[in-house]
């Protein structure tokens, strides 16, 4: 099993708790593009989609909810 990058995990938690990629970027002092890349990398390493993204909002998938809990 591949190890999870704790920085990417921290970004995922900030996205969930803030409800926004932009706000998570502000809280972690990273550009939104890097936050998005961290999420994509984490999802790829887990081989599942954690967050459903649209241009206006984010929503946890069932796998994302279980992973967060």
């Amino acid at each position: 099993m591949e190890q999870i990058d704790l920085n990417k995990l921290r970004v995922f938690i900030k996205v969930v708790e803030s409800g926004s990629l932009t706000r998570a970027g502000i809280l972690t002092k990273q550009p939104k593009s890097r936050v998005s890349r961290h999420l994509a990398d984490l999802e790829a390493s887990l081989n599942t989609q954690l967050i459903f993204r649209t241009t206006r909002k984010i929503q946890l998938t069932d796998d994302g909810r279980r992973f967060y809990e």
Side-chain angles (χ1 to χ4, degrees):
M1 181 174 156
E2 186 177 325
Q3 286 188 324
I4 295 174
D5 183 325
L6 294 180
N7 289 323
K8 292 174 183 169
L9 181 59
R10 184 173 62 95
V11 168
F12 169 72
I13 291 168
K14 289 293 183 189
V15 169
V16 172
E17 291 177 352
S18 69
S20 162
L21 295 177
T22 301
R23 279 186 244 142
I26 292 167
L27 292 170
T28 60
K29 298 179 179 160
Q30 297 180 46
K32 182 176 142 183
S33 60
R34 185 173 298 146
V35 170
S36 182
R37 170 53 48 203
H38 282 324
L39 280 178
D41 290 347
L42 181 61
E43 289 173 329
S45 70
L46 295 171
N47 199 28
T48 189
Q49 185 176 8
L50 299 172
I51 295 177
F52 178 73
R53 306 164 192 66
T54 68
T55 56
R56 297 198 179 252
K57 68 177 188 171
I58 64 162
Q59 182 176 347
L60 281 173
T61 63
D62 289 338
D63 286 341
R65 192 174 341 280
R66 283 190 295 274
F67 185 70
Y68 177 72
E69 290 172 355

